[in-house]
């Protein structure tokens, strides 16, 4: 593949992004195209994986995971089971994070996407690093990559949004509220209807796409989803996705039937976690 479109501005060398420990994945080459001394966590000897969730489920993709989040999710089910965020290492219990320049991230992506055109930017919460991320996304769009940003939809930045193709919005429901001392802040900022509407309206005006992806953990979630949707305009049932809570196959099975039931009854999409079925509950896949 032609390696055109290198970062033109010297500012990109100075701007850095803080990545989670799995960073850019799965990859097999460094920024200079040299083979890495290990096999990706996917177990495949080539870069790339599939998007496991949402409207682009199953599409070959490369992931960029940023570190840091403004929420502290810990879900509790009707059975009393507690399930912490499965990416806590990238969110509120950050460990082994590192920084790379926009230029180096761009080069790594280029070296590992011969037949992949979809890049998924996730976290953590990517919009916490909106200014630096905007520079990366602007450069990637010059090469016609399709960009998804996965966000909790509590923050909005128009410049970053303008370089994004799919907004994957995941508002956090009451069942995600953690115990003290994190309870008060999380509960206060976890859902922001005004910001969510910004995303929806921006997508409709600019010909972009969005999905509202909710985690089902308890029956009270359904009433809360309906209450939130009643405050929003510009969405269709096909934009609403419900995903069973679970960071592994056993946890997912506990919530699958009720999630499926609510999807069918409400005309919403059922959101699988295909990557768990294919690779199990591990990082970097």
């Amino acid at each position: 593949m032609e390696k055109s479109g290198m970062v033109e501005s010297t500012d990109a060398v100075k701007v850095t992004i803080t990545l989670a420990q799995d960073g850019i994945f799965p990859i097999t080459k460094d920024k200079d195209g040299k083979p890495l001394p290990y096999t990706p966590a996917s177990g495949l000897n080539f870069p790339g994986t599939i998007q496991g969730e949402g409207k682009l489920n199953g599409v070959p993709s490369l992931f960029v995971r940023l570190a840091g989040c403004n929420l502290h999710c810990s879900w509790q089910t009707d059975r009393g089971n507690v399930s912490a965020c499965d990416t806590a290492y990238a969110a509120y219990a950050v460990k082994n994070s590192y920084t790379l320049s926009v230029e180096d991230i761009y080069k790594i992506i280029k070296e590992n996407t011969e037949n992949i055109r979809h890049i998924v930017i996730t976290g953590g919460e990517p919009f916490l690093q909106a200014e630096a991320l905007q520079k990366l996304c602007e450069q990637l769009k010059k090469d016609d990559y399709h960009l998804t940003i996965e966000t909790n939809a509590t923050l909005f930045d128009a410049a970053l949004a303008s370089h994004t193709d799919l907004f994957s919005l995941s508002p956090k429901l009451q069942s995600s509220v953690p115990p003290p001392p994190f309870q008060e802040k999380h509960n206060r900022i976890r859902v922001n209807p005004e910001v969510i509407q910004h995303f929806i309206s921006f997508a409709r005006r600019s010909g972009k796409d969005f999905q509202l992806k909710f985690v089902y953990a308890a029956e009270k979630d359904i009433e809360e989803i309906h209450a939130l949707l009643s405050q929003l305009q510009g969405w269709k049932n096909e934009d609403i996705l419900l995903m069973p809570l679970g960071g592994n196959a056993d946890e997912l099975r506990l919530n699958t039937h009720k999630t499926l039931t609510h999807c069918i009854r409400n005309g919403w999409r059922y959101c699988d976690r295909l990557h768990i079925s294919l690779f199990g509950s591990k990082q970097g896949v």
Side-chain angles (χ1 to χ4, degrees):
M1 181 178 65
E2 184 182 356
K3 302 281 192 308
S4 62
M6 300 303 287
V7 175
E8 297 171 0
S9 173
T10 56
D11 290 342
V13 178
K14 303 173 186 177
V15 176
T16 61
I17 292 174
T18 303
L19 300 171
Q21 61 184 17
D22 43 3
I24 308 165
F25 66 92
I27 58 175
T28 60
K29 299 175 184 178
D30 67 13
K31 65 184 179 65
D32 300 314
K34 297 177 181 178
L36 296 173
Y38 52 81
T39 301
S42 63
L44 305 172
N45 62 357
F46 50 84
T49 182
I50 51 90
Q51 168 60 277
E53 301 173 2
K55 290 182 176 181
L56 297 180
N57 185 298
V59 173
S61 304
L62 197 75
F63 280 73
V64 181
R65 187 181 298 282
L66 278 61
C69 189
N70 56 344
L71 295 180
H72 198 291
C73 297
S74 180
W75 284 270
Q76 184 164 354
T77 70
D78 288 334
R79 304 177 190 87
N81 298 334
V82 175
S83 180
C85 174
D86 60 359
T87 55
Y89 66 91
Y92 54 81
V94 177
K95 59 181 180 180
N96 300 324
S97 63
Y98 61 101
T99 60
L100 283 180
S101 69
V102 165
E103 180 181 41
D104 283 351
I105 295 172
Y106 171 79
K107 288 179 177 178
I108 292 170
I109 290 172
K110 290 290 287 184
E111 292 290 347
N112 288 276
T113 50
E114 182 176 358
N115 293 308
I116 293 173
R117 304 314 303 162
H118 285 74
I119 308 299
V120 182
I121 299 168
T122 187
E125 174 46 57
F127 275 83
L128 288 173
Q129 302 185 61
E131 185 175 352
L133 188 54
Q134 183 267 333
K135 296 183 183 300
L136 174 64
C137 291
E138 181 180 14
Q139 191 63 31
L140 291 171
K141 286 308 299 177
K142 291 178 182 178
D143 291 332
D144 203 30
Y145 286 102
H146 179 284
L147 303 182
T148 297
I149 292 187
E150 300 183 336
T151 173
N152 60 33
T154 61
L155 303 167
F156 179 82
D157 182 270
L160 176 53
S162 67
H163 299 296
T164 306
D165 298 287
L166 172 63
F167 307 121
S168 183
L169 313 174
S170 298
K172 299 304 184 274
L173 304 174
Q174 178 66 35
S175 56
S176 73
V177 176
F182 310 106
Q183 181 181 46
E184 191 278 330
K185 178 185 176 183
H186 178 94
N187 199 34
R188 175 167 44 85
I189 67 173
R190 64 184 173 81
V191 176
N192 190 323
E194 182 179 356
V195 170
I196 297 170
Q197 188 63 61
H198 273 314
F199 277 109
I200 295 174
S201 299
F202 190 93
R204 293 301 188 219
R205 286 196 310 269
S206 15
K208 300 178 183 296
D209 202 2
F210 73 92
Q211 57 192 26
L212 273 164
K213 180 163 57 104
F214 298 98
V215 172
Y216 172 82
E219 282 299 289
K220 62 184 178 182
D221 293 337
I222 304 305
E223 182 178 348
E224 187 176 357
I225 292 170
H226 282 297
L228 175 59
L229 293 178
S230 71
Q231 301 176 60
L232 303 173
Q233 298 178 340
W235 58 271
K236 301 177 182 178
N237 276 350
E238 65 196 49
D239 302 314
I240 312 305
L241 287 75
L242 194 63
M243 180 173 72
L245 174 69
N248 58 58
D250 290 335
E251 289 180 348
L252 284 171
R253 276 193 289 271
L254 291 175
N255 298 296
T256 295
H257 179 74
K258 285 193 173 181
T259 303
L260 180 63
T261 298
H262 288 301
C263 285
I264 295 173
R265 284 180 172 174
N266 289 285
W268 301 335
R269 291 191 182 200
Y270 178 85
C271 183
D272 196 8
R273 304 199 76 194
L274 182 57
H275 53 293
I276 292 180
S277 301
L278 294 174
F279 303 114
S281 54
K282 56 184 177 181
Q283 300 172 21
V285 295

